[in-house]
């Protein structure tokens, strides 16, 4: 064999590094999974469009530890094994090693989900189911989401905002408000009946298999979809749906509705979706009817159903309007919907029972935290929203003081002179009206 000439250059393959803009776009991804090489593949596309060899990334101890950090930050109750986050943390090294080995060997199996029933937001008389997986299952689901989410996020529609990185309710609300101002005031206000409980498993898995070829990851997802549910001492297995409360459920729900997103966009309609809550905005009633017919056709062909009483066409320039993500939109204005006001009032009532034995300063401090959090979200409401709520909150506080002075009934009449508005302001009570005026000043200053 002829010798290589002395001094000839040696070719060294440089590591693939994505453009800094690529890294910035995917800055939210888990770095122990999504290395520069992986991000380059994500941007350029993998051969055949399907990803192989993913289970080793889910099972990587560093990924499982990062997943536990998220589970710990989210807190949450123990599952059917009665193991709390703190208890798992005490044996984290052993837990991570056990999970990693089980995932690689294909012997890991999730435990049943503990189902509890919690009041619906704004409708405390009604309840909805919530599944509580074990902490170790939440760790694995979080690691699985870290690996899978960028693969699907790459192609998700731009007008989808729910449970997606670097997007949120306010982005969706801005889009809706902007389209209304552009004249798209005929609205398809749609509601998918029991969406999370009715997602068909096999069509969902077919969509996942379109991008994921790793058999162990696919079997892991199927195991979560078929996870048993423990309720009132009885375990049963759901045949459809993705359990509400499972870490992986929001991603799976977006995967299934992504087809609707693209069908609606390709038809030329302007949709804004947040999880299973969406509106389509049009310029006239005929266009809105066509959009609704398209949605009905798609949902029926994909094993879903629109709620007949909650799905309607709305002219947002007329009385009635529509609700979306806690806001009510009507005749060019927006304010908190009745459910949002009800939720606030329930929270205020929990702080202001007449027999509350705490000091007034303590009550007002806790109350102000609740009011401030609510205001941050609803500060873009019409100015008439806030004075009435301020008055109602002060009435609750006057009722406490009236009770402490051996009076009965609600704070009213002479109580307004006895404890004027300035009295509560001096104790630090947040005025929603004043906060709104300051917010408007800063925006227009």
């Amino acid at each position: 064999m002829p010798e290589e000439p002395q001094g000839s250059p040696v070719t060294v393959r440089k590591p693939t590094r994505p453009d800094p803009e690529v890294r910035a776009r995917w800055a939210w991804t888990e770095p122990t999974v999504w290395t520069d090489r992986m991000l380059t593949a994500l941007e350029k596309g993998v051969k055949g469009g399907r990803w192989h060899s993913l289970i080793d990334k889910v099972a990587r101890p560093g990924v499982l530890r990062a997943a536990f950090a998220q589970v710990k930050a989210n807190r949450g109750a123990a599952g059917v094994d009665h193991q709390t986050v703190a208890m798992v943390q005490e044996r984290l090294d052993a837990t991570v090693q056990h999970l990693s080995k089980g995932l690689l060997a294909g012997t890991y199996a999730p435990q049943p989900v503990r189902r509890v029933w919690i009041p619906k937001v704004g409708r405390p008389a009604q309840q909805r189911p919530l599944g509580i997986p074990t902490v170790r299952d939440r760790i694995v689901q979080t690691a699985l989401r870290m690996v899978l989410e960028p693969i699907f996020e790459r192609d998700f529609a731009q007008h989808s905002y729910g449970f997606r990185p670097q997007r949120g309710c306010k982005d969706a609300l801005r889009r809706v408000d902007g389209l209304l101002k552009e004249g798209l005031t005929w609205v398809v206000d749609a509601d998918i009946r029991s969406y999370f409980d009715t997602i068909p498993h096999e069509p969902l898995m077919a969509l996942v298999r379109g991008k994921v070829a790793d058999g162990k990851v696919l079997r892991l997802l199927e195991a979560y979809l078929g996870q048993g549910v423990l309720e009132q001492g009885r375990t049963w297995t759901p045949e459809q749906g993705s359990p509400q409360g499972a870490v992986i459920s929001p991603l799976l729900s977006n995967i299934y509705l992504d087809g609707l997103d693209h069908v609606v966009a390709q038809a030329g309609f302007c949709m804004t979706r947040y999880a299973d809550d969406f509106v389509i905005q049009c310029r006239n009633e005929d266009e809105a009817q066509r959009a609704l017919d398209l949605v009905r056709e798609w949902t029926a062909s994909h094993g879903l159903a629109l709620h007949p009483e909650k799905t309607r066409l709305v002219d947002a320039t007329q009385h009635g309007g529509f609700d979306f993500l806690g806001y009510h939109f009507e005749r060019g204005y927006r304010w908190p919907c009745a459910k949002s006001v009800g939720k606030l009032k329930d929270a205020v009532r929990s702080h202001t029972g007449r027999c509350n034995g705490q000091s007034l300063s303590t009550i007002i401090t806790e109350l102000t935290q609740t009011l401030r959090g609510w205001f941050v979200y609803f500060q873009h409401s019409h100015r008439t929203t806030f004075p009435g709520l301020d008055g109602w909150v002060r009435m609750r506080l006057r009722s406490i003081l009236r009770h402490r002075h051996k009076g009965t009934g609600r704070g009213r009449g002479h109580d307004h002179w006895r404890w004027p508005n300035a009295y509560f302001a001096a104790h630090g009570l947040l005025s929603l009206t004043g906060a709104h005026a300051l917010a408007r000043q800063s925006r227009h200053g």
Side-chain angles (χ1 to χ4, degrees):
M1 181 180 292
E3 293 184 3
E4 186 173 343
Q6 294 293 318
S8 61
V10 177
T11 303
V12 179
R13 180 175 294 177
K14 295 182 179 180
T16 304
R17 291 191 176 277
D19 184 280
E21 292 184 2
V22 173
R23 171 56 73 181
R25 270 198 301 276
W26 299 97
W28 55 270
T29 58
E30 173 53 42
T32 57
V33 175
W34 291 96
T35 61
D36 290 344
R37 182 180 64 82
M38 288 275 287
L39 286 180
T40 298
L42 183 66
E43 286 274 322
K44 293 182 177 180
V46 293
K47 186 176 180 180
R50 300 173 75 207
W51 288 77
H52 299 257
S53 303
L54 294 175
I55 194 64
D56 62 305
K57 297 166 182 61
V58 177
R60 195 174 291 164
V63 176
L64 292 170
R65 287 181 176 279
F68 172 75
Q70 289 194 17
V71 171
K72 180 181 177 182
N74 292 333
R75 297 180 289 184
V80 295
D81 61 357
H82 307 293
Q83 295 290 300
T84 64
V85 172
M87 293 165 69
V88 171
Q89 186 171 19
E90 288 178 0
R91 302 185 67 253
L92 186 58
D93 288 344
T95 300
V96 165
Q97 290 303 318
H98 178 74
L99 291 175
S100 181
K101 289 178 182 178
L103 289 165
L104 292 172
T107 58
Y108 164 83
Q111 293 180 269
V113 169
R114 180 167 68 90
R115 172 168 281 193
V116 297
W117 292 82
I118 60 175
K120 287 188 175 182
V121 174
R123 287 177 288 176
Q126 300 181 32
Q127 294 186 315
R128 66 179 181 88
L130 180 67
I132 303 176
T134 64
V135 175
R136 74 169 200 146
D137 287 342
R138 299 207 293 270
I139 293 171
V140 175
Q141 286 191 30
T142 303
L144 187 60
R145 190 199 66 213
M146 288 173 170
V147 173
L148 293 181
E149 189 170 35
I151 294 171
F152 292 92
E153 179 67 28
R154 176 181 183 269
D155 299 316
F156 278 161
Q158 286 298 307
H159 59 257
S160 163
Y161 294 91
F163 307 119
R164 292 184 61 187
Q166 299 179 323
R167 287 167 168 252
C169 291
K170 290 188 177 181
D171 301 306
L173 290 166
R174 273 191 287 269
R175 172 175 165 83
V176 169
D177 191 55
L179 291 172
L180 287 173
K181 290 174 179 174
E182 290 176 19
L184 280 74
T185 55
W186 271 93
V187 179
V188 179
D189 184 11
D191 182 276
I192 300 177
R193 176 185 280 172
S194 303
Y195 172 61
F196 279 87
D197 293 331
T198 58
I199 301 174
H201 289 175
E202 183 47 41
L204 171 61
M205 287 305 303
L207 293 172
V208 176
R209 286 192 289 268
K211 293 189 177 184
V212 175
D214 188 311
K216 288 183 178 177
V217 166
L218 293 171
R219 285 191 290 275
L220 188 57
L221 282 174
E222 288 171 341
Y224 282 126
L225 289 174
Q227 203 169 359
V229 176
L230 177 64
E231 184 177 10
Q232 296 181 342
R234 184 177 66 91
T235 301
W236 56 279
T237 302
E239 297 181 357
Q240 60 183 8
S242 185
Q244 296 187 52
V247 177
I248 201 69
S249 287
L251 174 61
L252 296 178
S253 72
N254 273 334
I255 290 172
Y256 201 65
L257 283 184
D258 186 56
L260 175 62
D261 291 339
H262 289 286
V263 164
V264 170
Q266 287 164 9
F269 299 118
C270 294
M271 181 183 194
T272 305
R273 182 173 70 81
Y274 192 97
D276 59 334
D277 192 2
F278 65 89
V279 292
I280 303 173
Q281 293 171 253
C282 305
R283 294 193 178 278
N284 54 61
E285 186 176 8
D286 288 343
E287 186 180 325
Q289 186 62 58
R290 291 197 304 274
L292 177 56
D293 292 342
L294 177 62
V295 172
R296 280 204 177 105
E297 180 182 345
W298 189 93
T299 51
S301 65
H302 286 77
L304 303 173
L306 295 180
H307 197 296
E309 296 173 3
K310 297 180 180 179
T311 299
R312 61 202 182 107
L313 301 185
V314 177
D315 180 359
T317 65
Q318 302 300 312
H319 179 75
F322 66 97
D323 296 344
F324 187 62
L325 299 182
Y327 271 89
H328 181 79
F329 294 85
E330 181 181 322
R331 293 170 289 172
Y333 300 108
R334 59 185 182 272
W335 57 83
C337 68
K339 189 187 297 185
S340 299
V341 173
K343 183 179 179 182
L344 173 66
K345 288 190 172 183
D346 287 343
V348 170
R349 287 187 185 100
S350 71
H351 294 297
T352 56
R354 291 178 198 174
C355 297
N356 190 322
Q358 295 177 304
S359 69
L360 184 65
S361 295
T362 299
I363 294 171
I364 287 179
T365 296
E366 294 177 353
L367 188 57
T368 290
Q369 289 176 348
T370 297
L371 294 172
R372 196 177 301 282
W374 188 86
F375 177 77
V376 166
Y377 188 77
F378 290 105
Q379 63 179 298
H380 299 288
S381 301
H382 189 263
R383 57 183 173 79
T384 56
T385 300
F386 305 105
L389 286 173
D390 278 333
W392 182 82
V393 169
R394 288 191 294 265
M395 179 276 294
R396 296 285 303 180
L397 293 172
R398 288 187 180 105
S399 297
I400 294 174
L401 295 172
R402 184 184 181 94
H403 179 79
R404 290 179 180 180
H405 286 75
K406 310 304 180 184
T408 59
R410 296 167 52 174
R412 61 188 186 276
H414 182 69
D415 297 333
H416 288 260
W417 297 100
R418 197 175 189 183
W419 301 293
N421 296 354
Y423 176 82
F424 299 108
H427 278 76
L429 179 66
L430 176 72
S431 163
L432 296 172
T433 306
H436 181 252
L438 285 174
R440 282 181 56 85
Q441 252 183 1
S442 63
R443 285 197 294 269
H444 297 97

